[in-house]
């Protein structure tokens, strides 16, 4: 893997002159990772018909990627600290791009599922390492602005994926939801190899393999339990066993970290109030956004009769408002403070979730989800800025991995909660009863947003702390 450095010289204490182009390229790479969840979800029916995939295989096309992505991100963040963030970014992007090519050429379930798992592994290296680069290249108000742009791409990517998935599937075909990653990935890979400075390694020692295995097993079991709960319920025996196994594995991981000579992470990170607050906000935000996204998509397609392409077009305001709000939040968080911005953003999200309850129809659904998305977009910035505000350079990779892991936890919780609490009842109802099911689900989202605002007011440190 090429590790070519930029030849631009600058003072040691001065900001890197190419930091904004680097941010743009890293943001584009991150956008590919986020898009790959919803782009693929829209194309699933066509994949299943052409490749003769079973219902279980179709589920794993989405879940396999999310499961691998979520369970390996802490390892990816530690690898960035040990081996250099630039090397891990380039390696992760190369793996993701190659796996995308393999997925596009898949002729059956084994190759497709294997490629999706490989995509998840590449994403788990790329995402935390890229965020670590951003944190180290920017400082002060510029870091908040950079995190605003990063969060805008991450937050808006899911909604943009619906639009692109509909366009690609209706156009060149499902394989191109994977093939499109290849030229983009190669161009970004070459440019990043040339532009990203070689940031010094910030940790020494070897990779904690036992710790990595334990945390991957624990995280993977928990995410799989959350995914499974959507289809089988929260009290299903296998789901309960998975949650129990996850708790045992996490306990074993914590015990091992206290005795390991080169631990995967410093457990004291999880005792810092800003880190706890940031991970809470990112988990709640992602859960609410994914829940609203699936509810809105289901309502528009199954209740209002819109096709996949039209549903994608209707979600365009959601993506645009998410990105605009995140970018604006990055500019004002330094003046308002994370605590006040979080409370205001959660209040906006709660108001948006109430709109589909008070009014029915396509316009009300799109308007409500768009308003909620504006609040949630700002929260992505609050989460990242809060969690990473107290970390030293040598902790940036692991801290970024923690934030990214809780992002996936939130997504899994949101999808599982919607699926188990709302989708089952909606599936067997029609007319006013179905509308009532959506109302109940959005009322729950409103309550979660309001309760989270109270918790955020207590948990997030004030500007003076």
């Amino acid at each position: 893997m090429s590790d070519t450095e930029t030849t631009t010289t600058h003072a040691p204490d001065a900001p890197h002159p190419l930091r904004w182009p680097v941010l743009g390229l890293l943001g584009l790479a991150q956008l590919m990772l986020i898009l790959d969840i919803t782009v693929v979800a829209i194309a699933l029916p066509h994949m299943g018909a052409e490749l003769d995939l079973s219902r279980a295989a179709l589920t794993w096309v989405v879940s396999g990627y999310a499961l691998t992505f979520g369970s390996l991100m802490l390892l990816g963040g530690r690898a960035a600290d040990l081996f250099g963030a630039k090397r891990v970014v380039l390696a992760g992007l190369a793996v993701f791009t190659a796996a995308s090519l393999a997925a596009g050429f898949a002729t059956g379930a084994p190759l497709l599922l294997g490629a999706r798992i490989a995509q998840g592994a590449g994403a788990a290296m790329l995402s935390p390492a890229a965020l670590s680069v951003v944190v180290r290249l920017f400082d002060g108000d510029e870091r908040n602005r950079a995190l605003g742009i990063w969060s805008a791409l991450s937050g808006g990517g899911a909604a943009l994926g619906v639009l692109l998935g509909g366009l690609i599937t209706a156009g060149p075909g499902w394989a191109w939801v994977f093939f499109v990653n290849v030229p983009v990935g190669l161009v970004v890979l070459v440019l990043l190899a040339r532009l990203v400075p070689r940031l010094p390694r910030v940790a020494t020692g070897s990779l904690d393999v036992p710790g990595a295995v334990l945390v991957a097993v624990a995280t993977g079991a928990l995410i799989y339990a959350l995914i499974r709960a959507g289809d089988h319920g929260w009290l299903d025996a296998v789901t309960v066993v998975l949650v129990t196994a996850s708790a045992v594995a996490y306990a074993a991981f914590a015990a091992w970290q206290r005795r390991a000579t080169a631990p995967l992470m410093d457990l004291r990170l999880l005792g810092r109030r800003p880190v706890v607050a940031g991970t809470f906000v990112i988990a709640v935000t992602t859960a609410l956004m994914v829940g609203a996204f699936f509810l809105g998509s289901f309502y528009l397609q199954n209740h209002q009769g819109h096709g996949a392409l039209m549903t994608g077009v209707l979600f365009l305001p959601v993506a645009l408002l998410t990105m605009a709000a995140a970018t604006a939040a990055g500019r004002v968080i330094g003046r308002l403070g994370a605590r006040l911005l979080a409370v205001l953003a959660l209040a906006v999200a709660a108001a948006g979730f109430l709109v589909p309850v008070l009014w029915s129809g396509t316009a009300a659904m799109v308007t409500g989800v768009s308003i909620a998305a504006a609040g949630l977009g700002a929260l992505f910035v609050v989460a990242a800025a809060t969690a990473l505000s107290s970390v030293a350079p040598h902790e940036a990779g692991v801290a970024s991995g923690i934030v990214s892991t809780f992002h996936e936890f939130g997504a899994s919780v949101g999808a599982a909660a919607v699926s188990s609490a709302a989708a089952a009842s909606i599936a067997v109802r029609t007319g006013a009863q179905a509308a009532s099911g959506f109302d109940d689900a959005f009322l729950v989202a409103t309550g979660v947003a309001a309760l989270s605002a109270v918790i955020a007011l207590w948990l997030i440190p004030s500007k003076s702390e």
Side-chain angles (χ1 to χ4, degrees), residues 1 39 50 58 65 73 92 95 104 108 111 119 181 190 230 238 260 286 311 335 350 363 367-368 375 388 401 407 417:
M1 181 63 62
V39 165
E50 186 170 327
L58 284 174
Y65 176 76
M73 274 194 289
V95 170
L111 178 56
Q119 277 188 309
N181 291 330
V190 171
V238 176
T286 312
T311 299
R335 295 194 297 271
T367 300
L388 301 173
H407 183 284

Side-chain angles (χ1 to χ4, degrees), residues 89-268:
V89 164
L90 297 179
L93 182 55
V95 170
F96 180 84
T97 302
S100 297
L101 183 64
F105 281 121
T107 55
L111 178 56
L112 181 60
L113 297 181
R116 288 293 281 168
I117 290 171
Q119 277 188 309
M125 289 190 285
L126 172 57
S127 186
L131 185 54
S132 175
V133 172
V134 173
V135 171
R136 294 176 65 188
L137 286 184
F138 293 88
D139 197 15
D141 287 339
E142 274 201 346
R143 178 186 289 181
N144 290 331
R145 289 175 58 195
L147 290 174
I149 295 171
W150 179 270
S151 301
L153 294 171
S154 298
L160 277 177
V162 182
L163 174 60
L164 292 177
L167 290 172
I168 293 172
T169 304
W174 67 264
W176 282 92
V177 302
F178 300 114
F179 284 148
V180 73
N181 291 330
V182 178
V184 177
L186 290 175
V187 170
V188 173
L189 183 67
V190 171
L191 291 175
L192 285 176
R194 294 184 61 83
L195 297 182
V196 177
R198 183 182 294 177
L199 300 169
R201 300 179 189 182
V202 291
T204 57
S206 58
L207 192 63
D208 177 16
V209 176
V213 171
L214 284 170
V215 78
V217 169
T219 307
L222 182 55
I223 292 177
Y224 182 41
L226 295 171
I227 293 170
R228 182 181 174 84
D231 287 331
H232 301 277
W234 297 94
L235 297 180
D236 171 71
V238 176
T239 301
V240 172
V241 169
L242 286 168
V243 172
T244 304
S246 174
V248 171
Y250 274 126
F253 169 72
W256 172 254
Q257 294 306 282
R258 292 188 177 93
R259 57 176 292 191
T261 55
L264 185 67
M265 68 174 292
D266 183 353
L267 292 178
R268 289 175 296 182

Side-chain angles (χ1 to χ4, degrees), residues 22-426:
V22 168
L23 173 65
L25 291 169
L26 291 173
L28 181 57
Q30 173 73 4
L31 182 61
M32 285 199 304
L33 309 185
I34 303 301
L35 284 173
D36 227 56
I37 298 175
T38 48
V39 165
V40 170
I42 295 298
L44 280 180
H46 296 265
M47 288 184 203
E50 186 170 327
L51 300 182
D52 194 25
L53 301 178
S54 65
R55 181 178 178 276
L58 284 174
T59 300
W60 276 104
V61 170
V62 175
S63 300
Y65 176 76
L67 188 63
T68 312
F69 193 177
S71 62
L72 295 180
M73 274 194 289
L74 192 58
L75 177 61
R78 178 58 175 170
D81 289 340
L82 279 175
F83 308 123
K86 178 178 179 178
R87 292 178 184 273
V88 178
V89 164
L90 297 179
L93 182 55
V95 170
F96 180 84
T97 302
S100 297
L101 183 64
F105 281 121
T107 55
L111 178 56
L112 181 60
L113 297 181
R116 288 293 281 168
I117 290 171
Q119 277 188 309
M125 289 190 285
L126 172 57
S127 186
L131 185 54
S132 175
V133 172
V134 173
V135 171
R136 294 176 65 188
L137 286 184
F138 293 88
D139 197 15
D141 287 339
E142 274 201 346
R143 178 186 289 181
N144 290 331
R145 289 175 58 195
L147 290 174
I149 295 171
W150 179 270
S151 301
L153 294 171
S154 298
L160 277 177
V162 182
L163 174 60
L164 292 177
L167 290 172
I168 293 172
T169 304
W174 67 264
W176 282 92
V177 302
F178 300 114
F179 284 148
V180 73
N181 291 330
V182 178
V184 177
L186 290 175
V187 170
V188 173
L189 183 67
V190 171
L191 291 175
L192 285 176
R194 294 184 61 83
L195 297 182
V196 177
R198 183 182 294 177
L199 300 169
R201 300 179 189 182
V202 291
T204 57
S206 58
L207 192 63
D208 177 16
V209 176
V213 171
L214 284 170
V215 78
V217 169
T219 307
L222 182 55
I223 292 177
Y224 182 41
L226 295 171
I227 293 170
R228 182 181 174 84
D231 287 331
H232 301 277
W234 297 94
L235 297 180
D236 171 71
V238 176
T239 301
V240 172
V241 169
L242 286 168
V243 172
T244 304
S246 174
V248 171
Y250 274 126
F253 169 72
W256 172 254
Q257 294 306 282
R258 292 188 177 93
R259 57 176 292 191
T261 55
L264 185 67
M265 68 174 292
D266 183 353
L267 292 178
R268 289 175 296 182
L269 267 177
L270 298 177
R272 297 181 191 174
R273 185 175 169 189
V275 175
V276 174
T279 53
F280 167 76
V281 173
I282 195 67
V284 168
T285 302
T286 312
L288 289 173
M289 176 162 278
V290 170
F293 163 75
F294 281 111
L295 278 173
S297 178
F298 190 96
Y299 179 87
L300 293 173
Q301 292 189 72
N302 292 53
H303 193 61
Q304 293 294 308
H306 297 295
L309 181 57
M310 178 54 69
T311 299
V313 173
L314 290 170
F315 263 82
L316 185 58
V318 178
L320 295 178
L321 277 172
T322 303
M323 292 181 170
T327 303
R331 295 180 179 276
V332 303
I333 189 173
R335 295 194 297 271
L336 295 180
R339 177 191 286 179
L340 177 58
L341 184 56
V343 173
L344 292 174
L346 284 163
V348 170
F353 290 134
L354 271 179
V355 173
V357 178
L358 300 176
W359 296 279
S360 60
T362 297
M365 177 62 69
V366 173
T367 300
V369 174
S370 297
I371 293 172
L376 297 175
L379 287 170
F380 281 108
V381 182
V382 172
T386 302
L388 301 173
S389 63
S390 63
V391 300
H394 69 277
E395 301 167 325
V398 170
S400 299
I402 293 172
V403 172
S404 300
T405 299
F406 274 85
H407 183 284
E408 293 306 304
F409 278 159
S412 300
V413 170
V418 167
S419 183
S420 60
S425 62
I426 292 170

